[in-house]
Amino acid sequence: MAVIPVALAGREYDVRVEPGLLRNVAQHCAPFLRKTAVPIITDENVARYWRAPVSASLAAAGFEPKWHILPAGERAKSWEELSKTIEWLLTEGVERGDHILALGGGVVGDLTGFAASILKRGCGFVQLPTTLLAQVDSSVGGKTAINTPAGKNLVGAFHQPALVLADPDALDTLPVRERRAGYAEVIKYGILGDADFFVWCEANGSKVVSGDKSAIEHAVARSVTAKARIVAEDERETTGVRALLNLGHTFGHALEAQTGFSSRLLHGEGVALGMVLATRYSTRRGLISAADADRVTNAIAAADLATEISDLALNCTGTQLADHMLHDKKMDAGTLPFILLRGVGAAFLDRNVALSDVAVFLDEQLAK
Ligand code: NAD
Ligand code: GLY
């Protein structure tokens, strides 16, 4: 089993990565459970496959699982579901010293983490991530949030979990499209800061997407190691180090906005194409060679992720896409920080990108 510490003084925790963790969840969570009743939040899809084995493990250890089931998908990250969840936790008598289990993808983790951050001014929670995206990204680092009509993730808190159990077996039941989208966040760690891991992804990416257990275990452990290091260095995204994790997200966000944040384009699919665009834009600025940019495009294409905006059949201009960026929550005092590349494994934050230049670049990409 890989055990990756997240070294935050006073809030440190481990991320454990190994097949079988969910079927033995009681053994790993017991040190955090003070009472017989154990509150677990999940969504309706995850419950279908994982409620029974998780309940069985807890019951065999003498615990009584208490379930709160959210609707599946982004709509659960709402004021309404947050309010229902908080009321349920209060009815269950959850106290500040207790821990809530979050069993699911990034939606369940983000909502449960935010609920835990405000319940009785903050109680504990354990992340049991069941999507590849959640295992390599959202369950680690303590960002929690809900959406509002004004935009995604606009209300939230930094609240670190007490433990993360990333079980590759959970991905057996995940639709392949979701695994592929999660893989975008895996290869991101190679592109932004680890050229050796990028080479590993070039050779093994398709195994991760197709569900090969040992490839997934390696990819998750390596990704979490990278994220843990970044979070330990810049927990609250104030120094520019954690911002590197936004590689591909500014372009991706514009594409998600243009497709109405719908199932037409999953977040990871937008990030994958966004990374291709950020790399090509870096080439246009004379920062990274065309050969390296092609390597990034080819590695993403090898996972069957879209690499051309024309693949999305959007009916828009570069200016319209760039306008979505004005509403990006990373806007800071009138400028939008972009993550660009000087090479594979060498991302940096550039605060001097003119959106008018990005619009011209996007028009060129749309015309391809
Ligand atoms: P998700 O939680 O909606 O899960 C995707 C789909 O897969 C859902 O339909 C879900 O029901 C289903 N599912 C989950 N696990 C399953 C399993 N094992 N078997 C079968 N079906 C399963 O989406 P996601 O991609 O995991 O997360 C996206 C969310 O994460 C977004 O809201 C995003 O804002 C957030 N996010 C947060 C952070 C952070 O740092 N907190 C980072 C990245 C993304
Ligand atoms: N997903 C970006 C971050 O955790 O900072």
Side-chain angles (χ1 to χ4, degrees), residues 4 233 249 299 342 345:
I4 299 130
E233 217 175 307
H249 284 60
R342 292 200 177 91

mmCIF file of all heavy atoms in Angstrom, residues 4 233 249 299 342 345:
data_model
loop_
_atom_site.group_PDB
_atom_site.id
_atom_site.type_symbol
_atom_site.label_atom_id
_atom_site.label_comp_id
_atom_site.label_asym_id
_atom_site.label_seq_id
_atom_site.Cartn_x
_atom_site.Cartn_y
_atom_site.Cartn_z
ATOM 1 N N ILE A 4 0.766 8.235 1.476
ATOM 2 C CA ILE A 4 1.361 9.541 1.134
ATOM 3 C C ILE A 4 0.930 10.553 2.189
ATOM 4 O O ILE A 4 -0.266 10.846 2.328
ATOM 5 C CB ILE A 4 0.895 9.992 -0.265
ATOM 6 C CG1 ILE A 4 1.351 8.953 -1.296
ATOM 7 C CG2 ILE A 4 1.452 11.368 -0.616
ATOM 8 C CD1 ILE A 4 0.293 8.489 -2.210
ATOM 9 N N GLU A 233 3.182 23.094 0.328
ATOM 10 C CA GLU A 233 3.950 24.316 0.080
ATOM 11 C C GLU A 233 3.054 25.560 0.047
ATOM 12 O O GLU A 233 3.476 26.653 0.429
ATOM 13 C CB GLU A 233 4.652 24.168 -1.282
ATOM 14 C CG GLU A 233 6.037 24.767 -1.320
ATOM 15 C CD GLU A 233 6.714 24.490 -2.646
ATOM 16 O OE1 GLU A 233 6.767 23.303 -3.050
ATOM 17 O OE2 GLU A 233 7.148 25.440 -3.276
ATOM 18 N N HIS A 249 -7.008 24.802 -16.983
ATOM 19 C CA HIS A 249 -8.329 25.085 -16.432
ATOM 20 C C HIS A 249 -8.938 26.376 -16.963
ATOM 21 O O HIS A 249 -10.164 26.496 -17.026
ATOM 22 C CB HIS A 249 -8.276 25.108 -14.903
ATOM 23 C CG HIS A 249 -8.206 23.727 -14.290
ATOM 24 N ND1 HIS A 249 -7.183 22.839 -14.556
ATOM 25 C CD2 HIS A 249 -9.045 23.071 -13.440
ATOM 26 C CE1 HIS A 249 -7.401 21.718 -13.894
ATOM 27 N NE2 HIS A 249 -8.511 21.827 -13.211
ATOM 28 N N ALA A 299 -0.094 12.696 -26.448
ATOM 29 C CA ALA A 299 -0.349 11.906 -25.229
ATOM 30 C C ALA A 299 -1.814 12.030 -24.825
ATOM 31 O O ALA A 299 -2.421 11.059 -24.338
ATOM 32 C CB ALA A 299 0.564 12.382 -24.099
ATOM 33 N N ARG A 342 7.184 26.257 -20.195
ATOM 34 C CA ARG A 342 8.492 26.473 -20.824
ATOM 35 C C ARG A 342 9.041 25.150 -21.366
ATOM 36 O O ARG A 342 10.070 25.116 -22.009
ATOM 37 C CB ARG A 342 9.486 27.054 -19.817
ATOM 38 C CG ARG A 342 9.159 28.460 -19.386
ATOM 39 C CD ARG A 342 10.364 29.177 -18.785
ATOM 40 N NE ARG A 342 10.005 30.545 -18.451
ATOM 41 C CZ ARG A 342 9.534 30.936 -17.267
ATOM 42 N NH1 ARG A 342 9.413 30.066 -16.280
ATOM 43 N NH2 ARG A 342 9.210 32.197 -17.046
ATOM 44 N N GLY A 345 6.851 19.463 -18.137
ATOM 45 C CA GLY A 345 7.308 19.397 -16.743
ATOM 46 C C GLY A 345 7.770 20.733 -16.212
ATOM 47 O O GLY A 345 8.352 20.808 -15.132
#
